[in-house]
Amino acid sequence: MGLGIRLTTVAIYKPIELISWNNLKLNDLSYEIIKLDKNQAKVKFKFIIQSEQNTAVEINFNQKIITQKLTKGINHFSIDETIHNPKLWWPNGMGKQYLYDYQFKIKQGNEQISKYLKFGLRTIELVQEKDEVGSRFYFKVNGIPTYMKGANYIPQDNFVSRVSKNDYEKLINSSVEANMNMIRIWGGGIYEDDYFYELCDEKGLLVWQDFMYACVFYPGDQDFLNNVKQETIDQVNRLKNHTSIALWCGNNEIDEAWKNWGYQKQMGWSKQDSLSIWKDYQTTFHHIIPNVLDSILPKSENRYWPSSPSIGWRRKESLTQGDSHYWGVWWGMEPFETYEKKVPRFASEYGFQGMPTLKTVKSMFSEKDTLSKNSAIILAHQKHPKGWETINEYMQRDYVVPTDFVQYNYVSQLLQARGIQLAIEAHRRAKPYNMGSLYWQLNDVWPVTSWSSLDKLGNWKALHYQVKRSFENVLISVEKEENVYKIYIVNDLLKNLKGKVKFSVVDFNGNTHWTNDKDVIILSNSSTKIMELTDEILKGSSSTKAFLRIEFESNGEKYSRNYFFEKPKDLALTKSTIKIKKISHNQFEISTNVLAKDVYLLDENNQFDDNFFDLIPNESRIISGKNTIQNLKNYSLYDTMNVKNQ
């Protein structure tokens, strides 16, 4: 699992049931949406009942009673239901997640079987239309092209039985709070617990579901293939009624591994070996799995993608069609700015490492241990062979590298957030060319320096706070090309936005040196370039001592963005005086006399609604915590760089 520790975890970890019946057994109950519009929904409920005799049953649901004749053996039948004025289910950020809750009571004499079915009314399409550069790859939800914002998910613990309902709730809530609408369940982990999918249904998180095959080649003998088929049947039947399932994906990176990772040469396979292995691959992912999906799912729910990514990141076609795992940044050591040049149609993987929060780091140590980046404990919790080397190289490019451990931890998180911010915003600016951004990765399987935005204890790293901002439905973003600053407003809302945009160049003391404004109309579900500015706006001020402030107000809602002209290490920051005024047990007002860059509020028993943010002079912000504030500290980028510079 990326940087997961290697542990042997083979055991039966789910409840064991002994199932018995007398005359009736409900083998399956599913539903199919036959028709859906604003006036009515037509739903077909499909039953598979095993009967020990020829008989008749009463099916009671939604204040209706239907009599159904059964013959001895397996009975397939359906019941049609019309729902008037249906309430639609929407992904997070697009509307409500209304779920219809049906109870079916199947009675035969004194015997009764009860079954609940909870589902949302929605349509999902995977669209792959050819265009002038390649082919599009995007999802339509309820007929609307929908930009997917989210992350890749791995198991929450090496010992999966230790994951509690509270853990699932905390993770899903953190995803929703960060404005996500999709989670990709990575093929190197497990098929998740039912409760995970129930929460996704309730919270509006669409699920990209990999089958559990990743990065290696699998056997093709008949026993194994029979196992593949049965596993697919079991999992698809278990998960098919979940409204959140958006895509079934055959595997993670096996197609790319075959074509780009050089396995044939490394393993010394003969031509005959290679042909046999590739045939086995095609049997599993192009025949068995899709055939099972065809046999179980209605056409409207049968969205299958054989392998993610469809093309390896070193090939130019990976940016023009299908989905992409772009690893030129990190693995290829390319600069963060490469994200702005290499934008795919759908980014299903990309990422950069950062350290876990201090609270999680401390959980690795005993009280007598000294926190140090070079300690054996920290080194053991970094499983990438060149992890620290890579982080240090990127940090030197963009930041002053601290020697103090706490400050290094802080800057490593800022570095990770900065890289992924550039990627997400480049993807979203390119809408509708790009229609999805799922970073690697959401969570951790153990306490570790990794690509996650939530650490093992569920704490928000700087990246998760940045993701929350970068995934907002309305995003102001700046793209620099030479001396031109292109200003975009991305609008994922399903309504047009009309208002005024104000531009200002402000120095770090809060003085305004240049202003301009413009009336704009931003169409719904769009990305719009609203202005191009040049370095002329910096006349009378310095790029190292000022930033571009962009403010947009529409229908009473305010959106803003601060854009810095230089990399963090080149900013001429000065010492700020941060004032904190307590308002309530979990809320305070924070202000500063000069720019405070990347303010990090630390209370190890709390999570704040915003953090690692820029605090503007002469303005105050209200910050809330989830718990009572106990021991609040704050750090800023100036403090870190200033210590190093002395």
Side-chain angles (χ1 to χ4, degrees), residues 102-291:
Y102 275 65
Q103 181 184 17
F104 295 86
K105 295 180 179 178
I106 304 168
K107 299 179 67 175
Q108 191 268 324
N110 295 324
E111 190 173 354
Q112 177 174 299
I113 302 171
S114 292
K115 176 72 174 180
Y116 287 90
L117 196 58
K118 203 169 187 178
F119 62 93
L121 295 174
R122 58 95 182 104
T123 62
I124 301 177
E125 302 170 63
L126 174 61
V127 181
Q128 299 178 71
E129 302 167 334
K130 290 187 177 180
D131 58 19
E132 62 276 9
V133 294
S135 61
R136 304 183 70 188
F137 186 102
Y138 71 95
F139 295 88
K140 273 187 180 179
V141 182
N142 297 329
I144 295 173
T146 302
Y147 194 96
M148 295 302 163
K149 299 176 283 193
N152 288 257
Y153 169 89
I154 67 173
Q156 295 183 58
D157 199 292
N158 279 98
F159 296 95
V160 292
S161 60
R162 296 196 299 198
V163 181
S164 67
K165 283 192 171 184
N166 182 65
D167 293 325
Y168 284 118
E169 291 164 5
K170 187 175 181 180
L171 180 135
I172 296 299
N173 287 336
S174 289
S175 302
V176 170
E177 289 169 22
N179 298 307
M180 297 183 190
N181 60 11
M182 177 174 271
I183 288 181
R184 175 183 175 231
I185 299 183
W186 174 60
I190 62 170
Y191 301 100
E192 263 303 341
D193 187 83
D194 291 339
Y195 192 54
F196 177 96
Y197 300 96
E198 291 169 11
L199 288 172
C200 289
D201 293 343
E202 294 171 6
K203 302 290 185 176
L205 286 175
L206 292 164
V207 173
W208 171 315
Q209 178 67 59
D210 281 7
F211 289 97
M212 292 300 115
Y213 309 93
C215 304
V216 296
F217 302 103
Y218 292 84
D221 60 274
Q222 197 55 52
D223 286 343
F224 185 82
L225 295 178
N226 290 341
N227 187 284
V228 168
K229 182 178 180 179
Q230 192 58 52
E231 177 179 305
T232 307
I233 291 170
D234 291 347
Q235 293 300 333
V236 173
N237 275 321
R238 180 173 75 93
L239 300 177
K240 64 185 177 184
N241 288 328
H242 286 287
T243 304
S244 53
I245 298 290
L247 184 69
W248 304 91
C249 181
N251 68 76
N252 174 79
E253 294 185 348
I254 302 179
D255 185 279
E256 178 183 5
W258 179 260
K259 294 174 181 175
N260 299 314
W261 293 2
Y263 270 119
Q264 297 91 327
K265 184 177 180 180
Q266 292 175 31
M267 304 302 293
W269 290 333
S270 67
K271 183 177 181 180
Q272 185 176 354
D273 290 336
S274 296
L275 288 173
S276 176
I277 292 168
W278 184 242
K279 180 183 177 183
D280 293 342
Y281 172 88
Q282 291 183 310
T283 298
T284 295
F285 300 109
H286 291 272
H287 295 285
I288 292 177
I289 292 177
N291 287 344

Side-chain angles (χ1 to χ4, degrees), residues 46-71:
K46 301 176 181 179
F47 297 79
I48 302 177
I49 293 181
Q50 183 174 337
S51 177
E52 299 302 316
Q53 59 187 8
N54 296 332
T55 187
V57 295
E58 284 186 355
I59 302 175
N60 188 327
F61 73 100
N62 198 25
Q63 299 181 336
K64 298 177 183 178
I65 298 177
I66 293 175
T67 300
Q68 177 68 41
K69 291 184 178 180
L70 302 179
T71 59

Side-chain angles (χ1 to χ4, degrees), residues 335-607:
F336 286 149
E337 289 74 18
T338 305
Y339 282 135
E340 300 183 300
K341 300 172 184 176
K342 295 189 176 182
V343 175
R345 310 311 294 264
F346 192 106
S348 50
E349 255 197 45
Y350 60 93
F352 194 87
Q353 280 194 7
M355 293 187 73
T357 63
L358 277 174
K359 183 176 182 180
T360 297
V361 169
K362 290 177 180 179
S363 73
M364 308 175 196
F365 289 79
S366 67
E367 291 184 3
K368 64 180 181 180
D369 292 320
T370 301
L371 295 178
S372 168
K373 187 167 73 73
N374 297 318
S375 74
I377 295 173
I378 289 294
L379 295 176
H381 287 75
Q382 164 62 281
K383 291 300 183 186
H384 192 281
K386 294 185 178 180
W388 290 119
E389 178 184 331
T390 303
I391 291 172
N392 288 335
E393 168 64 26
Y394 278 88
M395 193 179 291
Q396 288 169 10
R397 296 175 187 177
D398 287 4
Y399 291 86
V400 173
V401 182
T403 54
D404 175 77
F405 177 83
V406 172
Q407 293 175 341
Y408 189 93
N409 173 279
Y410 159 71
V411 175
S412 82
Q413 292 188 55
L414 294 181
L415 178 70
Q416 181 189 30
R418 174 175 166 79
I420 302 309
Q421 176 187 9
L422 287 174
I424 292 174
E425 295 194 10
H427 298 159
R428 293 191 65 192
R429 287 196 303 265
K431 179 181 180 178
Y433 179 88
N434 172 281
M435 285 296 288
S437 190
L438 312 179
Y439 65 90
W440 181 269
Q441 66 203 51
L442 177 61
N443 59 307
D444 275 330
V445 73
W446 73 311
V448 65
T449 297
S450 82
W451 298 277
S452 73
S453 61
L454 299 173
D455 67 23
K456 177 61 178 77
L457 300 183
N459 299 311
W460 289 32
K461 295 160 66 171
L463 173 57
H464 208 79
Y465 284 102
Q466 183 55 56
V467 164
K468 179 182 178 181
R469 293 187 283 265
S470 293
F471 278 162
E472 287 181 344
N473 271 335
V474 179
L475 171 73
I476 301 173
S477 184
V478 181
E479 178 185 19
K480 183 180 180 182
E481 286 189 2
E482 296 181 351
N483 69 330
V484 176
Y485 304 94
K486 300 178 180 180
I487 318 298
Y488 289 78
I489 295 182
V490 182
N491 177 19
D492 284 348
L493 297 172
L494 304 183
K495 63 180 180 180
N496 296 345
L497 297 175
K498 182 180 180 181
K500 186 182 291 292
V501 181
K502 180 182 178 183
F503 308 91
S504 352
V505 172
V506 183
D507 67 29
F508 294 172
N509 292 316
N511 303 309
T512 300
H513 293 260
W514 172 88
T515 62
N516 198 356
D517 58 61
K518 183 179 182 179
D519 293 322
V520 298
I521 296 177
I522 310 299
L523 298 180
S524 66
N525 207 11
S526 72
S527 172
T528 305
K529 182 171 67 174
I530 61 167
M531 179 73 87
E532 287 191 0
L533 304 171
T534 69
D535 283 339
E536 291 291 316
I537 63 175
L538 281 166
K539 282 190 173 179
S541 57
S542 168
S543 63
T544 64
K545 298 180 179 180
F547 60 93
L548 176 63
R549 174 80 167 168
I550 308 165
E551 300 167 284
F552 175 45
E553 184 170 354
S554 176
N555 300 321
E557 295 290 331
K558 295 181 180 180
Y559 313 93
S560 63
R561 175 63 182 272
N562 302 318
Y563 175 81
F564 291 86
F565 299 103
E566 304 292 345
K567 291 185 175 184
K569 70 177 182 180
D570 297 321
L571 297 176
L573 298 172
T574 56
K575 180 67 176 176
S576 59
T577 300
I578 295 177
K579 294 182 179 180
I580 296 176
K581 177 183 177 183
K582 192 170 183 179
I583 297 174
S584 66
H585 73 284
N586 70 330
Q587 198 173 61
F588 56 89
E589 181 181 56
I590 183 170
S591 61
T592 180
N593 60 329
V594 298
L595 172 72
K597 187 89 177 72
D598 297 311
V599 175
Y600 172 34
L601 303 166
L602 176 61
D603 181 339
E604 292 188 354
N605 296 306
N606 223 323
Q607 177 190 305

